[in-house]
Short mmCIF file of all heavy atoms in Angstrom, two decimals:
data_model
loop_
_atom_site.label_atom_id
_atom_site.label_comp_id
_atom_site.label_asym_id
_atom_site.label_seq_id
_atom_site.Cartn_x
_atom_site.Cartn_y
_atom_site.Cartn_z
N ILE A 98 11.58 1.20 35.48
CA ILE A 98 11.95 0.65 34.20
C ILE A 98 13.39 1.15 33.79
O ILE A 98 13.68 2.35 33.95
CB ILE A 98 10.91 1.15 32.98
CG1 ILE A 98 9.47 0.99 33.50
CG2 ILE A 98 11.19 0.45 31.69
CD1 ILE A 98 9.08 -0.38 33.74
N LEU A 99 14.12 0.18 33.11
CA LEU A 99 15.34 0.57 32.63
C LEU A 99 15.37 0.31 31.15
O LEU A 99 15.24 -0.85 30.67
CB LEU A 99 16.51 -0.21 33.37
CG LEU A 99 17.89 0.00 32.80
CD1 LEU A 99 18.34 1.51 32.82
CD2 LEU A 99 18.88 -0.83 33.55
N VAL A 100 15.53 1.32 30.27
CA VAL A 100 15.54 1.24 28.89
C VAL A 100 16.94 1.44 28.40
O VAL A 100 17.56 2.42 28.74
CB VAL A 100 14.61 2.27 28.15
CG1 VAL A 100 14.71 2.29 26.68
CG2 VAL A 100 13.06 1.99 28.61
N VAL A 101 17.48 0.53 27.56
CA VAL A 101 18.88 0.60 27.18
C VAL A 101 18.97 0.47 25.69
O VAL A 101 18.51 -0.53 25.07
CB VAL A 101 19.77 -0.56 27.84
CG1 VAL A 101 21.23 -0.25 27.47
CG2 VAL A 101 19.51 -0.56 29.36
N GLY A 102 19.56 1.38 24.94
CA GLY A 102 19.73 1.34 23.59
C GLY A 102 21.11 1.67 23.10
O GLY A 102 21.79 2.52 23.76
N GLY A 103 21.49 1.13 21.93
CA GLY A 103 22.79 1.48 21.39
C GLY A 103 22.68 1.72 19.80
O GLY A 103 21.94 0.95 19.16
N ILE A 107 18.62 2.53 18.92
CA ILE A 107 17.98 3.47 19.84
C ILE A 107 16.51 3.96 19.40
O ILE A 107 15.60 4.04 20.17
CB ILE A 107 18.90 4.69 19.96
CG1 ILE A 107 20.00 4.24 20.90
CG2 ILE A 107 18.21 5.91 20.66
CD1 ILE A 107 21.13 5.34 21.01
N LEU A 110 13.17 2.58 20.80
CA LEU A 110 12.93 2.75 22.21
C LEU A 110 12.29 4.03 22.59
O LEU A 110 11.76 4.21 23.71
CB LEU A 110 14.32 2.54 22.95
CG LEU A 110 14.98 1.21 22.81
CD1 LEU A 110 16.42 1.22 23.44
CD2 LEU A 110 14.13 0.04 23.33
N LEU A 111 12.29 4.96 21.60
CA LEU A 111 11.60 6.25 21.87
C LEU A 111 10.18 5.99 21.94
O LEU A 111 9.45 6.42 22.84
CB LEU A 111 11.92 7.23 20.72
CG LEU A 111 11.21 8.60 20.88
CD1 LEU A 111 11.67 9.25 22.13
CD2 LEU A 111 11.55 9.46 19.62
N PHE A 112 9.54 5.27 21.03
CA PHE A 112 8.12 4.83 21.00
C PHE A 112 7.78 4.10 22.28
O PHE A 112 6.72 4.35 22.89
CB PHE A 112 7.78 4.01 19.73
CG PHE A 112 6.37 3.82 19.52
CD1 PHE A 112 5.34 4.69 19.92
CD2 PHE A 112 5.94 2.64 18.75
CE1 PHE A 112 4.01 4.47 19.82
CE2 PHE A 112 4.56 2.50 18.59
CZ PHE A 112 3.57 3.34 19.03
N LEU A 113 8.73 3.21 22.63
CA LEU A 113 8.44 2.40 23.90
C LEU A 113 8.39 3.39 25.15
O LEU A 113 7.49 3.28 25.92
CB LEU A 113 9.56 1.33 24.03
CG LEU A 113 9.43 0.57 25.38
CD1 LEU A 113 8.26 -0.17 25.60
CD2 LEU A 113 10.68 -0.23 25.46
N SER A 114 9.38 4.26 25.17
CA SER A 114 9.51 5.19 26.36
C SER A 114 8.23 6.00 26.41
O SER A 114 7.74 6.38 27.50
CB SER A 114 10.75 6.05 26.20
OG SER A 114 11.89 5.29 26.16
N LYS A 115 7.80 6.51 25.23
CA LYS A 115 6.46 7.28 25.17
C LYS A 115 5.30 6.47 25.82
O LYS A 115 4.49 7.06 26.55
CB LYS A 115 6.25 7.60 23.62
CG LYS A 115 4.99 8.49 23.54
CD LYS A 115 4.98 8.80 21.99
CE LYS A 115 3.68 9.59 21.70
NZ LYS A 115 3.62 9.86 20.22
N LEU A 117 5.55 4.27 28.05
CA LEU A 117 5.86 3.92 29.37
C LEU A 117 5.93 5.25 30.30
O LEU A 117 6.30 5.14 31.45
CB LEU A 117 7.14 3.24 29.50
CG LEU A 117 7.25 1.80 29.05
CD1 LEU A 117 8.75 1.39 28.92
CD2 LEU A 117 6.57 0.87 29.89
N LYS A 118 5.51 6.37 29.78
CA LYS A 118 5.81 7.72 30.44
C LYS A 118 5.23 7.85 31.72
O LYS A 118 5.70 8.63 32.61
CB LYS A 118 5.24 8.82 29.49
CG LYS A 118 3.74 8.95 29.23
CD LYS A 118 3.49 9.93 28.25
CE LYS A 118 2.10 9.97 27.92
NZ LYS A 118 1.78 11.16 27.06
N LYS A 120 5.52 5.69 34.03
CA LYS A 120 6.38 4.92 34.93
C LYS A 120 7.52 5.72 35.31
O LYS A 120 7.77 6.87 34.79
CB LYS A 120 6.88 3.72 34.22
CG LYS A 120 5.71 2.83 33.61
CD LYS A 120 5.07 1.90 34.47
CE LYS A 120 4.06 0.85 33.80
NZ LYS A 120 3.46 -0.03 34.75
N ASN A 121 8.41 5.25 36.23
CA ASN A 121 9.69 5.80 36.63
C ASN A 121 10.75 5.19 35.74
O ASN A 121 11.07 4.03 35.85
CB ASN A 121 10.01 5.42 38.08
CG ASN A 121 11.40 5.90 38.43
OD1 ASN A 121 11.76 6.99 37.95
ND2 ASN A 121 11.96 5.23 39.35
N ILE A 122 11.17 5.91 34.83
CA ILE A 122 12.08 5.39 33.65
C ILE A 122 13.42 6.04 33.72
O ILE A 122 13.72 7.19 33.71
CB ILE A 122 11.44 5.71 32.30
CG1 ILE A 122 9.92 5.33 32.26
CG2 ILE A 122 12.21 4.85 31.21
CD1 ILE A 122 9.37 5.73 30.90
N ASN A 123 14.44 5.17 33.72
CA ASN A 123 15.89 5.52 33.49
C ASN A 123 16.18 4.97 32.11
O ASN A 123 15.94 3.79 31.69
CB ASN A 123 16.75 4.78 34.43
CG ASN A 123 16.81 5.56 35.72
OD1 ASN A 123 16.93 6.73 35.85
ND2 ASN A 123 16.71 4.83 36.88
N ILE A 124 16.73 5.91 31.26
CA ILE A 124 16.99 5.52 29.86
C ILE A 124 18.47 5.77 29.57
O ILE A 124 19.04 6.83 29.81
CB ILE A 124 16.24 6.50 28.84
CG1 ILE A 124 14.76 6.46 29.20
CG2 ILE A 124 16.62 6.23 27.48
CD1 ILE A 124 13.95 7.55 28.54
N VAL A 125 19.22 4.57 29.16
CA VAL A 125 20.66 4.72 28.90
C VAL A 125 20.80 4.54 27.35
O VAL A 125 20.44 3.65 26.77
CB VAL A 125 21.38 3.57 29.66
CG1 VAL A 125 22.85 3.57 29.27
CG2 VAL A 125 21.21 3.67 31.22
N LEU A 126 21.48 5.51 26.83
CA LEU A 126 21.70 5.53 25.38
C LEU A 126 23.13 5.54 25.05
O LEU A 126 23.86 6.46 25.51
CB LEU A 126 21.00 6.78 24.67
CG LEU A 126 19.50 7.03 25.05
CD1 LEU A 126 18.97 8.30 24.40
CD2 LEU A 126 18.71 5.72 24.58
N GLY A 127 23.56 4.71 24.13
CA GLY A 127 25.06 4.58 23.85
C GLY A 127 25.35 4.99 22.36
O GLY A 127 24.61 4.46 21.50
N PHE A 128 26.30 5.74 22.14
CA PHE A 128 26.73 6.09 20.82
C PHE A 128 28.27 6.02 20.72
O PHE A 128 29.03 6.06 21.66
CB PHE A 128 26.38 7.63 20.58
CG PHE A 128 24.88 7.98 20.82
CD1 PHE A 128 24.38 8.29 22.02
CD2 PHE A 128 23.97 7.88 19.71
CE1 PHE A 128 23.06 8.56 22.26
CE2 PHE A 128 22.59 8.19 19.93
CZ PHE A 128 22.23 8.57 21.13
N PHE A 133 21.99 11.65 19.27
CA PHE A 133 20.80 12.14 18.66
C PHE A 133 19.62 11.61 19.42
O PHE A 133 19.61 10.75 20.25
CB PHE A 133 20.64 11.65 17.13
CG PHE A 133 20.61 10.15 16.90
CD1 PHE A 133 19.50 9.35 16.98
CD2 PHE A 133 21.86 9.56 16.71
CE1 PHE A 133 19.63 8.10 16.82
CE2 PHE A 133 21.95 8.20 16.45
CZ PHE A 133 20.87 7.50 16.41
N LEU A 134 18.46 12.35 19.32
CA LEU A 134 17.17 12.04 19.96
C LEU A 134 17.23 12.26 21.48
O LEU A 134 16.36 11.87 22.18
CB LEU A 134 16.69 10.63 19.68
CG LEU A 134 16.33 10.29 18.23
CD1 LEU A 134 15.84 8.87 18.22
CD2 LEU A 134 15.16 11.24 17.72
N ILE A 135 18.14 12.95 22.02
CA ILE A 135 18.32 13.16 23.48
C ILE A 135 17.17 13.96 24.05
O ILE A 135 16.57 13.50 25.03
CB ILE A 135 19.61 13.81 23.81
CG1 ILE A 135 20.88 12.99 23.23
CG2 ILE A 135 19.84 13.92 25.37
CD1 ILE A 135 20.83 11.58 23.63
N ASP A 136 16.83 15.07 23.33
CA ASP A 136 15.79 15.87 23.82
C ASP A 136 14.39 15.10 23.80
O ASP A 136 13.60 15.28 24.68
CB ASP A 136 15.70 17.14 22.95
CG ASP A 136 16.80 18.04 23.18
OD1 ASP A 136 17.46 17.98 24.18
OD2 ASP A 136 17.02 18.96 22.34
N GLU A 137 14.21 14.29 22.76
CA GLU A 137 12.91 13.61 22.64
C GLU A 137 12.85 12.55 23.83
O GLU A 137 11.82 12.43 24.39
CB GLU A 137 12.91 12.89 21.36
CG GLU A 137 12.70 13.81 20.13
CD GLU A 137 13.92 14.43 19.57
OE1 GLU A 137 14.98 14.26 20.22
OE2 GLU A 137 13.94 14.98 18.51
N PHE A 138 13.88 11.80 24.11
CA PHE A 138 13.86 10.85 25.14
C PHE A 138 13.72 11.51 26.48
O PHE A 138 13.01 11.03 27.43
CB PHE A 138 15.15 10.12 25.17
CG PHE A 138 15.04 8.80 24.31
CD1 PHE A 138 15.75 8.80 23.00
CD2 PHE A 138 14.53 7.58 24.73
CE1 PHE A 138 15.64 7.74 22.26
CE2 PHE A 138 14.43 6.56 23.80
CZ PHE A 138 15.00 6.55 22.58
N SER A 139 14.23 12.68 26.68
CA SER A 139 14.21 13.32 27.98
C SER A 139 12.71 13.73 28.42
O SER A 139 12.51 14.07 29.59
CB SER A 139 15.00 14.64 27.91
OG SER A 139 16.42 14.28 27.70
N LYS A 140 11.83 13.78 27.44
CA LYS A 140 10.50 14.03 27.73
C LYS A 140 9.80 12.94 28.61
O LYS A 140 8.77 13.10 29.24
CB LYS A 140 9.56 14.14 26.44
CG LYS A 140 10.04 15.24 25.60
CD LYS A 140 9.30 15.37 24.34
CE LYS A 140 9.71 16.42 23.38
NZ LYS A 140 8.94 16.41 22.02
N TYR A 141 10.41 11.74 28.53
CA TYR A 141 9.79 10.58 29.12
C TYR A 141 10.48 9.88 30.27
O TYR A 141 10.05 8.93 30.92
CB TYR A 141 9.58 9.45 27.97
CG TYR A 141 8.84 10.05 26.81
CD1 TYR A 141 9.51 9.99 25.51
CD2 TYR A 141 7.58 10.65 26.88
CE1 TYR A 141 8.89 10.55 24.43
CE2 TYR A 141 7.00 11.18 25.81
CZ TYR A 141 7.62 11.07 24.62
OH TYR A 141 6.98 11.63 23.43
N GLY A 142 11.72 10.40 30.56
CA GLY A 142 12.52 9.77 31.66
C GLY A 142 13.91 10.40 31.89
O GLY A 142 14.20 11.29 31.20
N ASN A 143 14.61 9.86 32.85
CA ASN A 143 15.90 10.30 33.15
C ASN A 143 16.91 9.72 32.16
O ASN A 143 17.05 8.50 32.14
CB ASN A 143 16.30 9.89 34.51
CG ASN A 143 17.73 10.32 34.92
OD1 ASN A 143 18.16 11.42 34.62
ND2 ASN A 143 18.42 9.35 35.57
N VAL A 144 17.59 10.53 31.39
CA VAL A 144 18.40 10.09 30.21
C VAL A 144 19.94 10.09 30.72
O VAL A 144 20.39 11.18 31.14
CB VAL A 144 18.22 10.76 29.05
CG1 VAL A 144 19.15 10.33 27.91
CG2 VAL A 144 16.84 10.70 28.52
N LEU A 145 20.61 8.97 30.53
CA LEU A 145 22.11 8.88 30.70
C LEU A 145 22.61 8.48 29.34
O LEU A 145 22.20 7.55 28.66
CB LEU A 145 22.38 7.80 31.74
CG LEU A 145 21.92 7.91 33.08
CD1 LEU A 145 22.21 6.77 34.00
CD2 LEU A 145 22.53 9.21 33.75
N VAL A 146 23.71 9.26 28.82
CA VAL A 146 24.29 9.09 27.53
C VAL A 146 25.74 8.70 27.81
O VAL A 146 26.54 9.31 28.58
CB VAL A 146 24.21 10.34 26.76
CG1 VAL A 146 24.87 10.15 25.37
CG2 VAL A 146 22.85 10.82 26.56
N THR A 147 26.09 7.59 26.98
CA THR A 147 27.52 7.17 26.90
C THR A 147 28.05 7.32 25.37
O THR A 147 27.28 7.15 24.55
CB THR A 147 27.75 5.84 27.36
OG1 THR A 147 27.06 4.89 26.37
CG2 THR A 147 27.20 5.58 28.75
N VAL A 159 27.15 1.47 27.34
CA VAL A 159 25.88 1.49 28.14
C VAL A 159 26.07 0.59 29.45
O VAL A 159 25.37 0.81 30.39
CB VAL A 159 24.79 1.03 27.19
CG1 VAL A 159 24.48 2.00 26.15
CG2 VAL A 159 24.99 -0.33 26.62
N ALA A 162 27.13 2.53 32.38
CA ALA A 162 26.12 3.29 32.98
C ALA A 162 25.03 2.41 33.67
O ALA A 162 24.51 2.80 34.68
CB ALA A 162 25.56 4.21 31.94
N MET A 163 24.73 1.23 33.13
CA MET A 163 23.72 0.37 33.67
C MET A 163 24.06 -0.08 35.14
O MET A 163 23.20 -0.16 36.02
CB MET A 163 23.70 -0.83 32.85
CG MET A 163 22.85 -0.68 31.57
SD MET A 163 22.81 -2.21 30.76
CE MET A 163 21.73 -3.26 31.82
N ILE A 166 22.83 2.12 38.04
CA ILE A 166 21.37 2.32 38.43
C ILE A 166 20.70 0.96 38.31
O ILE A 166 19.45 0.83 38.54
CB ILE A 166 20.77 3.21 37.39
CG1 ILE A 166 20.97 2.82 35.92
CG2 ILE A 166 21.27 4.71 37.64
CD1 ILE A 166 20.25 3.75 34.95
N GLU A 169 17.90 -0.26 40.86
CA GLU A 169 16.61 0.44 40.86
C GLU A 169 15.53 -0.10 39.79
O GLU A 169 14.40 0.12 39.94
CB GLU A 169 16.82 2.01 40.42
CG GLU A 169 17.75 2.68 41.23
CD GLU A 169 17.98 4.03 40.72
OE1 GLU A 169 17.19 4.68 39.90
OE2 GLU A 169 18.98 4.66 41.13
N TYR A 174 14.45 -3.23 29.19
CA TYR A 174 14.18 -3.34 27.77
C TYR A 174 15.33 -2.84 27.01
O TYR A 174 16.07 -1.84 27.31
CB TYR A 174 12.98 -2.35 27.37
CG TYR A 174 11.70 -2.78 28.09
CD1 TYR A 174 11.20 -2.00 29.15
CD2 TYR A 174 10.94 -3.79 27.55
CE1 TYR A 174 9.95 -2.37 29.68
CE2 TYR A 174 9.67 -4.16 28.14
CZ TYR A 174 9.30 -3.34 29.21
OH TYR A 174 7.96 -3.67 29.76
#
Side-chain angles (χ1 to χ4, degrees):
I98 314 297
L99 178 54
V100 174
V101 186
I107 287 171
L110 297 176
L111 180 62
F112 189 29
L113 173 65
S114 299
K115 182 179 179 179
L117 291 167
K118 63 182 179 181
K120 309 280 189 178
N121 177 32
I122 313 174
N123 281 313
I124 303 167
V125 180
L126 306 177
F128 304 88
F133 56 89
L134 293 180
I135 306 304
D136 290 342
E137 289 86 345
F138 273 99
S139 296
K140 298 175 184 176
Y141 308 120
N143 176 45
V144 179
L145 301 175
V146 178
T147 67
V159 294
M163 283 179 67
I166 54 176
E169 301 174 23
Y174 297 102

